[in-house]
């Protein structure tokens, strides 16, 4: 059904296991049965009214810890926690400000999108904006008694910026308020603190990476100071994984801002972005995770003092949430698991520096791969939309004087040659392919040994899946020669084959399966087009397709039948392949007539038409499997299914493709009937 394309990566929503606002009602009956004593919300919220700052701080800190357990959130929402915590952001005590903002931050992170939207409706953005302005105004004047001591105002700002990031990521209303309130300059001020407070800078960079994505209103008012701050981060050279993550996020933000860059700075910015991503992907995460885990053990061996009980409890809660992310069933949309990224690593207490560094490394590499996918994609907005934008009067869209010098070279349509060159010059395809390898067993083993490190295993697996998706995107946007020619493509095919068929059975993880099968489809399309011999046998591809057709994810099933179609149409040109074509034809007929999804039915029919379109071997195989009577019987069923299920369940583009397949099927049946009369 056409060439497989990768859609852009959106910044992930926060929560896959947290409870939405409507879960409050569902929890009411349970809470009534358990009684007031079982819910700490009432008692803790009451402490916020205390005249003692210490009591208020204790209340906020306790709420911050408790809401990390998602099942407690409805009890707090039911008691108007957001409205009661809001004024605490501007409390006379800095400690109360920090803990209150942290409580709202954790509530937003663990509660999910609907909780974030509910927070915005309760006007949390007003005190949050006022707090950020006060923080930025007080950075330099804050009193730090000891040189090594952290700046208390910056501690508050970390929580505030992170809360702002969470809200803007999940709520369009929060993003609109961000634009109108002029919060960009405040977040940039926080980013500029990176030389001595990387934690604050990373929070700011995460926020900027989110708010600059597809936000034309904000980008048209982008100041030269903001661009300069991002470039300064990219040019920084501080060691450590936290700074690697910071530079990666700055690179992603700069890519999001490509349309706002003056023409004279575009080539330099592109080079800096790709160089930053390249350096990040150069890092061997397996080796570094092992080294960081060993460093933590050495530190504990040399300083065996027991951890603070409060920090230990907070760490256990964070680890519990990270484990829930790994084990919880994924939310679905149209049968597809949503890649929602719960990252609770920032909730870990002080003293987990090595784990923070390892998490920063894996987050940086995942983000780098997502940015490269977006660089390769030009389908959102569509090419036509880019052309329309490039021909419009941009002075109407961008009142800021910065837009006077903007050229359209940075649009995906026009920059494809420049992006292509930059990616090739930095060997990005080879580095991405390297990241598709399974996580190093030694690294996963050491993570299994410590509960607080166990969550990293899922993150390592996600980097692999993102790399496979990224490789698929690269294959879809580059030609064979750019990727190294026939030998390189055969090597890539052998590598993907090892990933899928190297174990005793095909992996069942849906995220991995979806990523690897989409990459395999793109690679086989390119190999078939170039008439390059492939290393995977039809039997292997059949076993892959059988595993994929049992998967709940629609795109996996679609790609599985497409692979069978590619393989079959190639084999139909060769002698002595009728038996294999029969096997492929029967498999495709089974999917076309039995799968519950119309899109999968259509893809299977389309593949059948490709496989049996021409050739003596195909004609022989078609007769042996009774293809003509099978298709004649299914044709009216397919038409009726489109009429019955089409509208409302499938988008206009899918319906258009299905209609074309319906027409082609009728013609193909006529073609087979003519062959039978010969």
């Amino acid at each position: 059904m056409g060439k497989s394309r990768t859609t852009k990566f959106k910044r992930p929503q926060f929560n896959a296991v947290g409870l939405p606002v409507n879960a409050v009602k569902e929890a009411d009956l349970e809470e009534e049965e358990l009684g007031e004593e079982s819910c700490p919300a009432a008692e803790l919220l009451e402490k916020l009214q205390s005249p003692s700052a210490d009591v208020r701080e204790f209340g906020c800190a306790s709420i911050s810890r408790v809401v990390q357990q998602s099942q407690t959130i409805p009890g707090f929402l039911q008691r108007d926690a957001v409205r009661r915590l809001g004024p605490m952001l501007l409390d006379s005590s800095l400690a109360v400000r920090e803990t209150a903002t942290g409580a709202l931050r954790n509530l937003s992170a663990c509660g999910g999108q609907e909780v974030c939207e509910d927070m915005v409706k309760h006007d949390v953005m007003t005190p949050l904006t006022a707090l950020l302005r006060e923080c930025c105004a007080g950075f330099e004047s804050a009193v730090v008694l000891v040189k090594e001591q952290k700046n208390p105002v910056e501690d508050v700002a970390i929580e505030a910026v992170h809360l702002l990031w969470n809200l803007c990521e999940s709520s369009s209303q929060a993003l609109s308020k961000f634009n109108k309130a002029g919060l960009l300059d405040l977040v940039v001020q926080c980013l500029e603190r990176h030389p001595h407070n990387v934690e604050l800078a990373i929070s700011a960079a995460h926020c900027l990476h989110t708010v600059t994505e597809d936000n034309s209103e904000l980008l048209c008012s982008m100041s030269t100071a903001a661009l300069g701050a991002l470039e300064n981060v990219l040019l920084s050279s501080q060691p450590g994984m936290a700074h690697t993550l910071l530079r990666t996020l700055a690179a992603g933000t700069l890519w999001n801002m490509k349309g706002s860059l003056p023409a004279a700075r575009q080539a330099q910015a592109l080079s800096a972005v790709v160089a930053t991503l390249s350096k990040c992907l150069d890092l061997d995460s397996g080796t570094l995770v092992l080294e960081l885990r060993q460093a933590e053990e050495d530190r504990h061996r040399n300083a065996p003092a027991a951890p603070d009980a409060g920090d230990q409890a907070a760490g256990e809660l964070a680890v519990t949430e990270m484990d829930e992310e790994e084990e919880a069933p994924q939310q679905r949309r149209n049968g597809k698991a949503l890649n929602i990224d719960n990252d609770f690593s920032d909730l870990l207490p002080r003293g987990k520096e090595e784990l923070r560094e390892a998490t920063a490394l894996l987050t940086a590499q995942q983000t780098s791969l997502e940015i490269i996918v977006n660089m390769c994609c030009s389908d959102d907005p569509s090419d036509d939309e880019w052309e329309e934008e490039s021909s419009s009067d941009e002075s109407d869209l961008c009142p800021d004087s910065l837009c006077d010098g903007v050229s359209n070279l940075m649009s995906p349509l026009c920059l494809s040659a420049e992006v292509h060159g930059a990616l090739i010059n930095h060997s990005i395809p080879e580095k991405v392919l390297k990241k598709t390898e399974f996580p190093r067993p030694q690294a996963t083993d050491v993570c299994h040994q410590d509960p607080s490190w166990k969550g990293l295993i899922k993150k390592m697996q996600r980097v692999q899946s993102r790399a496979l998706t990224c490789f698929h995107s690269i294959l879809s946007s580059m030609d064979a020669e750019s990727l190294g020619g026939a030998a390189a493509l055969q090597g890539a095919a052998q590598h993907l084959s090892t990933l899928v068929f190297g174990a005793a059975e095909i992996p069942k993880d849906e995220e991995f399966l979806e990523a690897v099968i989409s990459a395999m489809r793109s690679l086989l399309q390119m190999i078939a087009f170039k008439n390059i011999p492939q290393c995977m046998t039809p039997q292997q591809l059949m076993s892959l397709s059988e595993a994929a057709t049992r998967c709940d994810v629609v795109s996996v099933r679609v790609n599985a039948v497409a692979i069978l179609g590619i393989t079959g149409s190639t084999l139909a040109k060769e002698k002595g392949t009728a038996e294999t074509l029969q096997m492929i034809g029967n498999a495709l007929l089974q999917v076309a007539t039995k799968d519950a999804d119309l899109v999968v039915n259509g893809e299977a029919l389309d593949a059948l038409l490709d496989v049996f379109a021409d050739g003596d071997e195909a004609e022989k195989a078609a007769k042996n499997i009774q293809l003509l009577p099978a298709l004649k019987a299914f044709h009216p069923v397919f038409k009726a299914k489109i009429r019955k299920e089409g509208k409302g369940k499938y988008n206009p583009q899918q319906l258009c493709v299905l209609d074309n397949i319906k027409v082609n099927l009728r013609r193909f049946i006529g073609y087979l009937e003519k062959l039978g009369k010969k």
Side-chain angles (χ1 to χ4, degrees):
M1 291 171 68
K3 187 175 180 180
S4 173
R5 306 179 75 180
T6 309
T7 55
K8 286 179 65 179
F9 268 106
K10 296 292 185 181
R11 297 307 309 145
Q13 297 292 341
F14 260 85
N15 181 267
V17 295
L19 296 177
V21 174
N22 58 17
V24 176
K25 297 177 182 177
E26 297 171 9
D28 285 349
L29 290 175
E30 292 181 19
E31 191 170 305
E32 286 174 10
E33 292 175 6
L34 293 172
E36 288 289 323
E37 292 182 4
S38 65
C39 180
E43 180 184 351
L44 294 178
L45 289 169
E46 191 63 33
K47 294 184 184 300
L48 304 185
Q49 308 305 317
S50 172
S52 166
D54 288 342
V55 174
R56 296 197 301 276
E57 180 187 356
F58 173 80
C60 292
S62 299
I63 293 170
S64 183
R65 285 196 298 271
V66 171
V67 297
Q68 290 179 47
Q69 298 174 309
S70 301
Q71 69 272 18
T72 67
I73 290 176
F76 285 94
L77 296 178
Q78 186 185 36
R79 291 169 174 79
D80 215 10
V82 176
R83 221 181 266 281
R84 294 167 76 170
L85 280 165
M88 300 289 100
L89 301 188
L90 300 173
D91 194 274
S92 57
S93 164
L94 274 179
V96 173
R97 290 186 178 197
E98 181 182 355
T99 52
T101 312
L104 286 169
R105 166 192 170 180
N106 289 358
L107 185 61
S108 67
C110 302
Q113 181 176 0
E114 291 188 50
V115 170
C116 289
E117 290 174 347
D118 190 58
M119 292 172 76
V120 176
K121 286 178 186 175
H122 282 80
D123 198 29
V124 76
M125 290 290 288
T126 296
L128 178 59
T129 299
L131 174 63
L132 270 171
R133 293 192 189 284
E134 289 190 21
C135 285
C136 291
F139 281 154
E140 302 300 337
S141 59
V143 177
V144 180
L145 300 177
V146 183
K147 186 176 181 181
E148 289 77 17
Q149 183 180 336
K150 296 186 73 175
N151 185 325
V153 175
E154 289 182 348
D155 286 346
V156 177
I158 290 170
E159 301 294 341
V161 173
H162 215 114
L163 171 59
L164 180 64
W165 168 33
N166 294 3
L167 295 174
C168 289
E169 194 166 51
S170 298
S171 166
S172 58
Q173 285 297 313
L175 190 60
S176 177
K177 290 176 183 290
F178 181 99
N179 294 344
K180 290 178 171 58
L183 292 175
L184 176 68
D185 290 340
L186 300 180
V187 178
V188 169
Q189 275 186 258
C190 295
L191 179 71
E192 290 174 331
R193 310 293 291 178
H194 71 90
H196 58 275
N197 193 330
V198 69
E199 187 179 357
L200 174 58
I202 287 175
S203 292
H206 271 300
C207 188
L208 288 172
H209 193 206
T210 294
V211 300
T212 54
E213 184 171 31
D214 299 329
N215 187 352
S216 56
E217 180 184 353
L218 179 69
L219 297 181
C220 287
S221 61
M222 192 66 63
S223 66
T224 54
L227 295 175
L230 288 165
E231 289 174 349
N232 287 339
V233 170
L234 285 184
L235 295 172
S236 65
S237 57
Q238 287 98 326
M241 299 304 107
H243 284 280
T244 296
L245 173 58
L246 177 63
R247 286 188 285 270
T248 301
L249 291 167
T253 303
L254 202 57
W255 175 253
N256 290 344
M257 293 166 52
K258 55 191 177 290
S260 298
L261 294 175
R265 296 167 72 174
Q266 289 186 356
Q268 180 184 2
L270 173 63
S271 177
V273 166
V274 178
T276 299
L277 304 180
S278 177
K279 289 177 183 176
C280 179
L281 294 179
D282 279 336
L283 297 171
D284 184 342
S285 57
T287 299
L288 288 167
V289 165
L290 286 170
E291 291 176 355
L292 287 165
R293 181 71 185 93
Q294 185 62 51
E296 183 183 74
E297 289 183 352
D298 293 344
R299 180 168 57 82
H300 287 165
R301 192 179 300 112
N302 296 330
D308 176 79
D311 277 356
Q312 186 171 359
E316 289 171 357
L317 282 170
V319 170
T320 299
E321 293 289 352
M322 292 172 78
D323 287 343
E324 284 179 7
E325 173 200 357
E326 188 173 350
E327 297 167 6
Q330 290 176 292
Q331 293 179 354
R332 299 184 173 279
R333 181 180 298 141
N334 295 331
K336 178 178 177 179
L338 297 178
N339 290 326
I340 299 175
D341 204 5
N342 280 2
D343 185 358
F344 291 93
S345 59
D346 54 303
L347 304 180
L348 291 167
R350 307 268 191 267
K352 290 284 185 182
E353 287 82 4
E354 294 84 4
L355 180 54
R356 287 173 181 271
E357 282 279 283
T359 304
L361 164 64
L362 295 171
T363 303
Q365 294 195 332
Q366 176 183 328
T367 304
S368 294
L369 293 163
E370 291 172 359
I371 294 167
I372 295 167
V373 169
N374 291 349
M375 294 175 82
C376 292
C377 290
S378 60
D379 58 331
D380 185 15
S382 70
D383 293 351
D384 291 341
E385 289 170 336
W386 279 103
E387 288 170 350
E388 288 167 9
E389 288 176 15
S390 65
S391 62
S392 66
D393 182 2
E394 294 196 27
S395 61
D396 294 336
L397 298 172
C398 302
D400 194 279
S401 59
L402 181 65
C403 291
D404 294 342
V406 171
S407 91
N408 285 307
L409 287 175
M410 293 299 281
S411 77
L413 179 66
C414 299
L415 185 64
S416 57
E418 287 84 355
V419 172
H420 176 276
L423 295 177
I424 294 299
N425 289 341
H426 286 87
S427 303
I428 294 297
E430 294 88 344
K431 293 177 182 181
V432 169
L433 188 61
K434 179 71 174 173
K435 292 299 174 188
T436 65
E437 295 174 357
F438 283 113
R440 185 179 295 190
Q442 298 93 321
T444 57
D445 288 346
V446 298
C447 290
H448 266 300
Q449 293 165 13
D450 188 312
S452 62
W453 285 70
K454 190 177 177 182
L456 289 189
I457 298 171
K458 183 65 177 177
K459 294 182 183 300
M460 286 187 274
Q461 292 168 341
R462 182 155 291 153
V463 169
Q464 180 195 26
S465 293
R466 289 295 191 270
L468 285 163
T469 300
C470 188
F471 189 60
H472 160 59
S473 188
I474 288 171
L475 287 166
S476 301
S477 59
M478 293 188 182
D479 55 38
E481 288 68 31
S482 298
L483 296 170
L489 293 177
Q490 284 181 313
Q494 183 63 56
H495 171 66
L496 294 184
S497 176
T498 302
L499 291 182
V500 176
F501 305 112
E505 59 180 25
I506 293 173
K508 294 182 175 64
D509 179 77
E510 288 184 352
E511 188 173 1
F512 169 79
L513 198 56
E514 181 178 15
V516 75
I517 204 167
S518 64
M520 196 174 286
R521 175 182 179 173
S522 292
L523 183 57
L524 290 176
Q525 280 177 326
M526 185 175 287
I527 285 175
F529 181 74
K530 290 290 183 180
N531 294 316
I532 300 169
Q534 57 173 274
C535 63
M536 286 171 271
T537 67
Q539 288 73 23
Q540 284 181 320
L541 293 173
M542 283 296 300
S543 65
L544 171 62
S545 294
E546 286 172 11
T549 52
R550 292 193 295 269
C551 179
D552 290 335
V553 180
V554 170
S555 64
V556 171
R557 305 202 301 275
V558 165
N559 282 324
V561 295
I563 286 174
L564 285 182
I566 294 165
T567 305
S569 58
T570 301
L571 291 173
K573 301 171 186 175
E574 302 173 8
K575 295 293 184 182
T577 57
E579 188 175 338
T580 305
L581 290 175
Q582 287 176 217
M583 182 173 61
I584 291 174
N586 279 324
L588 290 173
L589 268 176
Q590 181 74 11
V591 175
T593 56
K594 303 297 184 185
D595 197 281
D597 193 280
L598 260 175
V599 171
V600 182
N601 300 148
E603 186 73 51
L605 287 171
D606 197 47
L608 276 168
L609 270 55
D610 286 341
V611 173
F612 296 97
D614 193 24
D616 294 339
E617 298 294 322
E619 185 178 342
K620 187 190 305 181
K623 288 178 180 177
N624 290 342
I625 66 172
Q626 298 292 300
L627 182 61
L628 176 57
L631 292 180
K632 286 179 74 173
F634 183 63
H635 185 229
V637 176
F638 185 59
K639 286 168 60 179
K641 196 172 181 182
I642 292 175
R643 281 197 306 271
K644 184 179 178 181
E645 301 178 14
K647 290 183 179 178
K649 190 174 179 181
Y650 301 95
N651 64 45
Q653 184 181 4
Q654 289 172 324
L655 290 175
C656 180
V657 173
L658 288 168
D659 279 335
N660 285 336
I661 291 170
K662 180 180 65 177
V663 172
N664 290 338
L665 178 58
R666 187 181 69 242
R667 292 171 179 167
F668 186 68
I669 290 171
Y671 162 74
L672 290 179
E673 287 175 332
K674 287 180 182 178
L675 283 180
K677 293 176 183 177
K678 284 183 179 180

